[in-house]
Amino acid sequence: MPMFSGGSGYQINGGTFYEVSGDVNLETHQHLTLANYPRLRGALQDPQENLLNGTSDRLGVERNPSTRSGHRVVSRAMPYDMSSDPCLSDVENSSPARRAPSSSIVSMPSMQDSSSIPRLPHWQSHQHPAAEYSPLPDVTHNVDGLPQVIHGPATVLNANNVHFNNQYGDVGLELLYRSVSQAALYNSAETFPQPKCHPETRIEMLNYLYEWATSSDVAYPICWLHGPAGAGKSAIMQTLCHHLQEARGGSFFFKRGHATSGNANWLFATLAYQLAVHKQNSVFRCAILRRLQDDPSVTARTMEIQLEELIVKPSRSLRNAPPLILLIDGLDECIGEEAQRQILHLIGDTACRHPFTFRFLIASRPEAHIKDVFNDLSFRGIFRSININKSFHDVRKYLCGEFARIHREHKDTMAKVSAPWPPEHIIDVLVEKSSGHFIYASTVIKFIDDKYFRPTQRLAVIQSLVPSFDSPFGALDQLYCQILSRIPSQFHDKLCQILCLVADFGIKHIGHIEQLLQLDSGDVLLTLRGLHSLIEIHSYYNYNDLSFHHASFPDFLRDASRSSNFFLSLRVRMHILCASFVTLSIPKACHDQGNIAADSGCVA
């Protein structure tokens, strides 16, 4: 049944009055709500009361003394204060069907008489009378955490000669915003406090990365920042984001196990949203919003389509602009190794096609499958690998600065302790234990800086390594356990034996380990494949040796209260000794068997 038949009138859409004419028949079975439209929520709950009480000013209704008596002026309301946005003018002039009425100000009957207020029509639903009609679809999320657009059978039939101002900026941004992982954003409240570099550390590396990201003339558009667990990758990325706040770009911080920030499907929509809302990217924002207007389901499509439609194609609207900087931290924490590989291949393909448009900085642990992708021929010449080297000097600066702060802030308990504290020889020991990485040092500082204990007593606990109820290395232990837990359970016994040979027996050569444990060639590398962030493999010609990235890791393995299932127990040591005795007796047994065979006239 037509709402308008051969006539004209006004229609409310998105807080704006539109002039419509012709035959219009609207039909839908989709239950729309006011939850997504805060601007109209209050006014449309009771149109008569709110409009009469003056709350209709939110809709752009205002009194104008210049108008004749009994009338009020209705002006078009711009969403998100985008009245000066170039994308609105582009849309208005794009086609006659999308042009606004000739005048942006129209008059309507006075709201003084409640009987003259037109009632909003009810949709063809027996349950929920709709408040308004809008092309914005409902968005939900499927079981994989992927944003999913649900299109109801809402259709516009016979909409001839319907003229309206297609202000899709608010709709497009809201749709894109719903696909943003809040926890993955820089300075997200969900991940507070974020790790940051000490002001006097990592200066050279941060300066280099800043220059690379902002320069328009570089030889490679991709940087891979890698290092073992606890090397300070996230601290560098967070600090770099702070320095690049004025630059055009976006960031995504993966977090293992999180519903959104651990899911690859949220990556490119989150990056696109940050590019769209940046104050310098108005042209880019318009291009993204046009894509969403043409196909609102883009945010629910594959990563390849999201990257192409929301980032790559809109970037073509930029002319002589600085590169767009995209930072991805903790790629190894993204759910699924295959998803991690796909992200890298998509980024590599984009960088090859648009080497001067984008800068991709990717930080991760040196996991084997990630190294395999970067070693692929398709990445040759477009990326640089940057290893976060050990920095004993920076760790010492960090410890000295933090101990001075603790001495200064703990006034009641440290008043009688002379500065500098602690003595230099204690700092030397802590620096050596850190292996040049910040994870150990930061864990020590967190433990000592507890306001409910004396710092001198907490430092004594660390020095003596006496087990306590609240482990001084709780954060570090959690990190180690999380990495080790990724190894399949059927490899646990073999892993403990390998770790015990390296930590307690000093046997580091892979060939010797396989021989002593009677393992097939390649078994050690296969077992340790997921532990490259803890164990370093040194290759010398045909020899492969093992070593630990952190000197604190063997201490962790030798303490049952910390390492739990990966504790190097007496049972593990006894198994190694038994296996070694068997291995050492094999040559003699083979020799004796060969002699017996020779004596009997058989060829061994």
Side-chain angles (χ1 to χ4, degrees):
M1 177 177 180
M3 291 171 52
F4 302 100
S5 179
S8 62
Y10 302 99
Q11 179 179 349
I12 299 176
N13 185 7
T16 307
F17 286 91
Y18 300 109
E19 182 180 9
V20 296
S21 61
D23 295 337
V24 181
N25 187 1
L26 300 175
E27 179 181 0
T28 183
H29 298 285
Q30 185 179 10
H31 298 160
L32 303 179
T33 67
L34 293 173
N36 301 325
Y37 298 88
R39 182 195 296 184
L40 290 179
R41 185 186 299 116
L44 295 180
Q45 285 176 348
D46 191 338
Q48 289 184 345
E49 178 181 355
N50 290 335
L51 290 174
L52 288 171
N53 291 338
T55 55
S56 58
D57 290 343
R58 299 177 186 175
L59 306 180
V61 180
E62 58 184 0
R63 297 188 182 275
N64 191 331
S66 65
T67 60
R68 61 184 179 176
S69 176
H71 283 72
R72 302 179 72 183
V73 175
V74 181
S75 61
R76 293 178 297 161
M78 289 297 191
Y80 289 99
D81 192 25
M82 296 170 64
S83 56
S84 61
D85 199 306
C87 64
L88 294 179
S89 59
D90 291 345
V91 174
E92 292 179 10
N93 299 326
S94 60
S95 65
R98 293 185 175 183
R99 279 193 218 109
S102 57
S103 174
S104 63
I105 301 181
V106 297
S107 62
M108 64 180 294
S110 171
M111 297 298 176
Q112 302 294 334
D113 184 7
S114 62
S115 63
S116 65
I117 300 176
R119 293 286 183 176
L120 294 176
H122 289 181
W123 301 98
Q124 297 179 7
S125 169
H126 302 291
Q127 297 178 358
H128 304 287
E132 64 171 321
Y133 172 78
S134 172
L136 179 65
D138 285 339
V139 177
T140 184
H141 302 98
N142 59 22
V143 293
D144 297 324
L146 181 68
Q148 184 174 3
V149 181
I150 306 299
H151 294 279
T155 56
V156 180
L157 305 177
N158 301 323
N160 298 325
N161 303 321
V162 177
H163 302 290
F164 58 91
N165 179 23
N166 189 6
Q167 298 175 13
Y168 58 80
D170 55 346
V171 174
L173 279 178
E174 183 172 353
L175 179 60
L176 191 57
Y177 176 78
R178 295 188 197 177
S179 303
V180 171
S181 172
Q182 302 291 334
L185 297 173
Y186 164 67
N187 269 347
S188 170
E190 292 190 40
T191 56
F192 182 84
Q194 292 85 6
K196 297 287 181 64
C197 292
H198 189 274
E200 299 180 7
T201 62
R202 302 296 190 189
I203 296 176
E204 184 177 352
M205 178 172 291
L206 288 170
N207 287 339
Y208 171 81
L209 291 175
Y210 181 87
E211 292 297 328
W212 166 82
T214 55
S215 174
S216 58
D217 183 21
V218 297
Y220 43 89
I222 301 175
C223 263
W224 178 35
L225 186 69
H226 60 89
K233 300 180 296 295
S234 293
I236 292 175
M237 295 291 277
Q238 289 279 355
T239 306
L240 188 61
C241 279
H242 175 74
H243 295 327
L244 292 171
Q245 287 186 87
E246 297 300 321
R248 303 190 306 174
S251 59
F252 194 100
F253 291 82
F254 278 106
K255 183 178 181 181
R256 192 182 311 277
H258 194 277
T260 61
S261 62
N263 194 325
N265 294 320
W266 295 77
L267 170 61
F268 293 113
T270 301
L271 293 175
Y273 177 80
Q274 295 172 77
L275 293 174
V277 299
H278 196 278
K279 60 184 179 181
Q280 298 182 19
N281 282 0
S282 58
V283 176
F284 188 90
R285 177 174 67 245
C286 296
I288 292 180
L289 299 182
R290 289 193 188 97
R291 294 287 174 183
L292 289 171
Q293 173 71 5
D294 295 337
D295 184 5
S297 70
V298 169
T299 57
R301 309 290 283 278
T302 64
M303 286 193 293
E304 182 178 5
I305 293 178
Q306 289 186 47
L307 174 60
E308 187 69 20
E309 297 295 327
L310 297 177
I311 297 179
V312 176
K313 287 183 179 179
S315 70
R316 297 172 185 170
S317 63
L318 303 175
R319 295 291 184 271
N320 300 321
L324 300 176
I325 307 167
L326 301 177
L327 286 73
I328 302 174
D329 180 62
L331 178 62
D332 55 286
E333 299 194 29
C334 173
I335 300 173
E337 292 185 4
E338 185 56 38
Q340 298 172 26
R341 294 189 189 94
Q342 185 182 4
I343 290 172
L344 289 178
H345 284 300
L346 290 174
I347 289 175
D349 177 68
T350 301
C352 284
R353 291 185 292 130
H354 308 280
F356 301 106
T357 305
F358 298 100
R359 295 286 181 272
F360 293 98
L361 177 59
I362 303 167
S364 76
R365 300 173 188 169
E367 304 293 0
H369 63 280
I370 294 178
K371 289 194 291 187
D372 290 342
V373 175
F374 278 113
N375 288 332
D376 190 83
L377 292 177
S378 61
F379 277 84
R380 181 169 297 178
I382 64 171
F383 92 102
R384 179 178 179 183
S385 174
I386 301 179
N387 184 15
I388 303 181
N389 297 317
K390 301 176 181 180
S391 180
F392 293 94
H393 180 67
D394 280 350
V395 170
R396 178 179 292 276
K397 277 187 177 180
Y398 169 78
L399 286 174
C400 291
E402 289 300 294
F403 276 128
R405 178 187 60 80
I406 292 174
H407 187 276
R408 183 174 61 255
E409 293 181 356
H410 290 249
K411 299 179 180 178
D412 296 334
T413 56
M414 299 295 291
K416 296 183 179 181
V417 178
S418 60
W421 173 86
E424 189 171 347
H425 71 274
I426 294 180
I427 293 181
D428 291 340
V429 173
L430 295 176
V431 170
E432 183 180 357
K433 277 285 189 179
S434 74
S435 296
H437 297 301
F438 282 88
I439 181 64
Y440 180 87
S442 62
T443 304
V444 167
I445 293 299
K446 288 178 182 178
F447 181 72
I448 296 176
D449 196 23
D450 194 325
K451 297 296 189 296
Y452 294 96
F453 296 88
R454 292 182 178 273
T456 51
Q457 294 177 352
R458 303 290 268 186
L459 178 59
V461 171
I462 292 176
Q463 288 181 272
S464 61
L465 293 178
V466 175
S468 59
F469 179 77
D470 51 339
S471 172
F473 306 115
L476 188 59
D477 293 350
Q478 184 179 11
L479 177 66
Y480 287 157
C481 287
Q482 179 266 318
I483 297 172
L484 291 169
S485 65
R486 299 176 62 189
I487 304 300
S489 57
Q490 63 266 28
F491 290 106
H492 281 188
D493 289 341
K494 188 187 303 182
L495 173 62
C496 288
Q497 295 166 23
I498 296 172
L499 295 177
C500 187
L501 282 173
V502 179
D504 291 342
F505 294 91
I507 300 175
K508 301 180 179 181
H509 182 52
I510 292 179
H512 294 164
I513 294 174
E514 290 176 340
Q515 184 179 3
L516 286 172
L517 299 179
Q518 301 179 41
L519 302 176
D520 294 334
S521 178
D523 277 358
V524 170
L525 291 177
L526 183 62
T527 303
L528 301 178
R529 182 173 174 82
L531 299 180
H532 288 200
S533 58
L534 296 177
I535 300 175
E536 188 171 4
I537 301 175
H538 306 274
S539 298
Y540 307 100
Y541 300 101
N542 294 328
Y543 296 92
N544 292 316
D545 289 346
L546 304 177
S547 66
F548 298 122
H549 281 299
H550 307 291
S552 61
F553 186 52
D555 295 336
F556 163 82
L557 295 172
R558 298 186 187 108
D559 191 332
S561 64
R562 299 173 61 190
S563 53
S564 186
N565 295 334
F566 299 96
F567 170 54
L568 303 184
S569 62
L570 180 61
R571 182 182 63 84
V572 174
R573 294 180 174 85
M574 291 300 298
H575 183 91
I576 291 175
L577 291 175
C578 292
S580 300
F581 286 135
V582 172
T583 301
L584 294 174
S585 63
I586 287 177
K588 183 177 185 301
C590 292
H591 178 71
D592 293 341
Q593 185 178 4
N595 290 339
I596 294 174
D599 292 341
S600 61
C602 299
V603 179

